[in-house]
Amino acid sequence: MEKNYDQFKGQSRLPKFAVPKRYDLKLKPDLVTCKFAGAVDISLDVVSPTKFIVFNAAELSVDPKTVHFKSSNKVFEALEVGLIEEDEIMVVEFGESLPVGFGVLSLAFEGTLNDRMKGFYRSTYEHNGEKRNMAVTQFEPADARRCFPCWDEPACKATFKITLEVPSELVALSNMPVEEEKVTGNLKTVHYQESPIMSTYLVAIVVGLFDYVEDQTSDGIPVRVYCQVGKANQGNFALHVAVKTLPLFKEYFGAPYSLPKLDMIAIPDFAAGAMENYGLVTYRETALLYDDKHSAAANKQRVATVVAHELAHQWFGNLVTMEWWTHLWLNEGFATWVSYLATDSLFPEWKIWTQFLEEATEGLRLDGLAESHPIEVDINHAGEIDEIFDAISYRKGASVIRMLQSYLGPESFQRALASYIKKYACSNAKTEDLWSVLQEESGEPVNKLMNSWTKQQGYPVVSVKINDQKLECEQTQFLLSGSHGDGQWIVPLTLCCGSYEARKSFLMQEKSEALDVKDLLGSSSSKGNPWIKVNVEQTGFYRVKYDDELSARLRYAIERKVLSTNDKYGILDDSYALSMACHQSLSSLLALMASFREELDYTVLSNLISISYKVARIVAEAVPDLQNHIKLFFINLFQFSAERLGWDPKEGESHLDAMLRGELLNALASFGHDETINEAVRRFHIFLDDRNTAVLPPDLRKAVYVAVMQRVNKSDRSGFESLLRIYRETDLSQEKTRILGALASCRDPEIILEVLNFLLCSEVRSQDCVFGLAVSFEGRETAWNWLKEKWDHIHKTFGSGFLLTRFISATVSPFSSYEKAKEVEEFFASRTKPYIARTLKQSIERVHINANWVQSIQKEKNLPEAVTELAYRKY
């Protein structure tokens, strides 16, 4: 018998003898024993005569006696039913060939509601002080097979008719509205309408106790937001965003929302941020709930962009679905890009396209690693999918879409998208299908241009200098390690000269090109030596390296405040990356940072702050004697903006200023600014006595908690104990994650050890551990020893999946010595698993990059002088 199965083992896709058309699925979850029973009738189209039917199933037990196939009045009993665990497939063998044509495969099965946040799982919540279970599904990428036997591949679309049997007092939701409900005693049977054609990974079921708020869109689609009992009013903001966003996308994509209702629901235990299940979108509480009193401005923005991202998927992903996981980036990159479009339309005052640069930067940072990967990755096994849900698929994906839209122009781009949605609705598409539609609409060589960005990893740095009224440009692959890769791209270059009126754009196709910029130099308002900015508004996914002369002109332009926010952001971020890659001195980066002293913009300052944390750490490692000077420089650098904003929110101030105040105070506290820490501690004590005090609004809490932890050590633990008390008393996830992040900033390694152990206790939901892993510079060694000691436990708790990878990257990446990299490699040599392999390589590469940077800084002769000058400069 076994030998017959060998042909199905180790394949990346299911055989195509039979194609599913409809699932009639009944499930009965038991929330006390955490088991579930189910039965499914799958209507199949048998396309070639076969004795075997092969489909996906995992962690399910199927009763062989219930398995049969029925075709035009004839019933075929299964001869043998076998599960091949490592491939997560089930093979059903029949005694004779099944006839070609339609038939129905029936089987009954049982499974467990697991606690790993995938498949059909349990999440816990408290109701009237008692702990209860809810049942939830999370199927993307490949876990529908843990709930019911199915063809669990995105291209195997079918319709779903779902029936649930659940305790009668509970709310039971699925993708479609309820068709009818029958109550018998304390159980009810809920029948849902049949769904349109869709992929298995988008099927969803949630059973538990919930409240909801509801509204409807301008064209009458009912929208509800469900959350834990008593939190309903926290769903209002997300509801408002959804009701406004659906009609916006209907217009943008030229197609209506395709289901009769939309539900969005907050789940207490949830691995990702959210999941776009068709008509029943599930969220982490922090990504859906907004509480006017206790949520920060940053939380509001997160809710808006995540809701817009998930709703974009209702078209791009759900109506038109990627053909296979290789094209995942199209789903995620696109939904990320378009969520900014929607958010910008609803909240123009947030200047969200400037904040989009943070997405691009995340993509550029990961893609500067030799251990990155192309946007399109061949996926040969379900086990490999999890690792590509990363900054390349989402952020580089979104950035190259923005680059393309900006190259083709928004009108042409939108028209092409509408035709693409129309052409592939209710079906599947590959990356090149989108390119062909865009190429047809625009007449531009989209396919050739975009292949250079999606099929090879990395991106270029374009080096520019002026020579005899020509701009000489040369592209090489940018790597943070400082070595040169051999990629080559078709780069949509844009440049401005002396003003935003004088601009030019062209496609750079060669390794090096010289551009005639006589006309620009001539027309420029500032005769003589005008500034030149390449990659105008940072719409391109590449970095720019200027020669010393052009760099100096740009620095001067920043001080004169003539550059746009996006361009200032780009100059700063490129300079930081070039310095890390040892292509530019640290002194030149510090001189550039100093020119941002009077900067007002949130996004630019936010990046300046992130860079300053990293630089302070690397200097402490490379030249310990300079660490106090560098901290003093950063304190002086941020002082101007912090004083402008003050501690207390001003009447009518912008959302961006509210976010910025917290980040600035957080930076000042982290760099040990005594006045800031004293004021934070004073406000914290008032807050401890009165949680509703106006002196500690949500936007300041993270910064104040960090400041309190700066004063904690093993002989003075009071601040730590107080924060744990607030953690235990609050039921708002946003507050809990704020506290976890702050605890890790303590400078005393003994306290850090306590914090890390606290992360693994039952008081912290496993989805939230990762927030406490970003420990202080002084806590790195403690965290690494802790990870080694607890690795087996962590591995067992988190299994495979992206939460596990965060433990490695957070703990390993901050180091900066070759010896440490070796030690990490040796530790994991005997513990490697395919689902952590990529993260491990990337983290070790980051340690090497830091180590190179440390060595390069140690060779900078004039650094001590430059740092001292900056630290004591009088403004």
Side-chain angles (χ1 to χ4, degrees), residues 478-664:
F478 179 78
L479 287 167
L480 285 163
S481 62
S483 50
H484 287 291
D486 45 11
Q488 190 176 328
W489 286 262
I490 299 179
V491 190
L493 277 191
T494 48
L495 64 130
C496 274
C497 182
S499 90
Y500 285 97
E501 267 50 272
R503 59 197 298 168
K504 244 190 150 104
S505 50
F506 55 93
L507 277 186
M508 177 174 181
Q509 311 216 25
E510 305 303 321
K511 270 282 197 207
S512 57
E513 298 187 17
L515 304 167
D516 191 343
V517 287
K518 239 194 332 279
D519 51 335
L520 285 186
L521 293 167
S523 70
S524 139
S525 48
S526 50
K527 289 281 182 289
N529 298 327
W531 53 268
I532 290 180
K533 169 71 177 64
V534 179
N535 193 7
V536 182
E537 298 296 344
Q538 294 305 109
T539 53
F541 193 77
Y542 54 91
R543 296 199 182 278
V544 182
K545 183 183 181 188
Y546 301 91
D547 68 356
D548 292 346
E549 166 63 21
L550 290 175
S551 293
R553 293 184 201 175
L554 282 171
R555 249 197 331 266
Y556 182 55
I558 289 170
E559 284 168 0
R560 294 210 334 275
K561 305 185 169 59
V562 294
L563 294 181
S564 75
T565 306
N566 289 24
D567 283 330
K568 286 186 289 192
Y569 181 100
I571 293 164
L572 171 65
D573 203 62
D574 286 353
S575 174
Y576 167 56
L578 288 162
S579 176
M580 188 188 293
C582 311
H583 290 320
Q584 206 181 324
S585 69
L586 180 63
S587 328
S588 66
L589 171 64
L590 295 173
L592 175 66
M593 291 174 81
S595 66
F596 284 97
R597 188 171 170 270
E598 297 185 2
E599 181 55 53
L600 303 172
D601 179 78
Y602 165 74
T603 309
V604 175
L605 278 165
S606 179
N607 197 26
L608 195 67
I609 290 169
S610 312
I611 291 172
S612 68
Y613 289 145
K614 180 77 191 195
V615 169
R617 281 182 162 215
I618 215 81
V619 169
E621 190 83 31
V623 198
D625 295 354
L626 288 178
Q627 59 178 324
N628 290 332
H629 290 323
I630 199 102
K631 285 179 177 173
L632 187 58
F633 165 51
F634 290 140
I635 287 170
N636 291 336
L637 183 59
F638 299 127
Q639 203 75 29
F640 176 85
S641 309
E643 283 169 9
R644 174 179 77 88
L645 289 175
W647 274 82
D648 295 301
K650 301 182 176 50
E651 189 63 43
E653 72 178 1
S654 75
H655 161 87
L656 295 168
D657 277 350
M659 295 204 306
L660 179 58
R661 178 179 292 109
E663 289 195 29
L664 284 165

Side-chain angles (χ1 to χ4, degrees), residues 2 10 261 361 369 431 444 531 743 765 815:
E2 273 305 298
K261 60 92 177 168
T361 293
L369 298 182
T431 302
E444 293 282 345
W531 53 268
L743 294 178
R765 293 186 188 267
F815 285 107

Side-chain angles (χ1 to χ4, degrees), residues 1-57:
M1 171 60 211
E2 273 305 298
K3 63 183 189 310
N4 295 345
Y5 286 15
D6 283 352
Q7 54 177 317
F8 305 122
K9 283 186 180 165
Q11 304 296 314
S12 59
R13 311 273 287 254
L14 293 168
K16 298 284 179 272
F17 328 124
V19 185
K21 293 295 178 193
R22 176 180 192 268
Y23 292 81
D24 191 335
L25 173 64
K26 298 180 180 55
L27 287 169
K28 181 179 179 177
D30 183 328
L31 297 180
V32 179
T33 62
C34 293
K35 297 261 186 271
F36 63 90
V40 65
D41 294 329
I42 309 174
S43 310
L44 295 176
D45 184 5
V46 178
V47 287
S48 53
T50 173
K51 285 188 171 182
F52 296 100
I53 294 185
V54 183
F55 47 84
N56 294 109

Side-chain angles (χ1 to χ4, degrees), residues 738-774:
R738 261 200 289 270
I739 293 170
L740 293 174
L743 294 178
S745 71
C746 182
R747 307 223 168 272
D748 184 331
E750 290 188 31
I751 301 284
I752 288 292
L753 186 59
E754 282 187 55
V755 171
L756 293 168
N757 286 329
F758 176 69
L759 295 178
L760 297 181
C761 78
S762 60
E763 290 186 68
V764 179
R765 293 186 188 267
S766 47
Q767 65 184 31
D768 292 337
C769 288
V770 293
F771 292 102
L773 294 173

Side-chain angles (χ1 to χ4, degrees), residues 391-433:
I392 300 294
S393 305
Y394 284 73
R395 296 183 165 130
K396 181 181 182 180
S399 304
V400 299
I401 285 168
R402 176 165 177 256
M403 175 164 72
L404 180 62
Q405 186 231 20
S406 130
Y407 176 68
L408 298 177
E411 292 77 18
S412 164
F413 190 77
Q414 181 181 355
R415 281 196 303 274
L417 279 179
S419 8
Y420 168 81
I421 295 274
K422 195 167 169 177
K423 183 169 181 181
Y424 294 100
C426 301
S427 149
N428 297 78
K430 297 182 162 131
T431 302
E432 38 278 18
D433 297 324

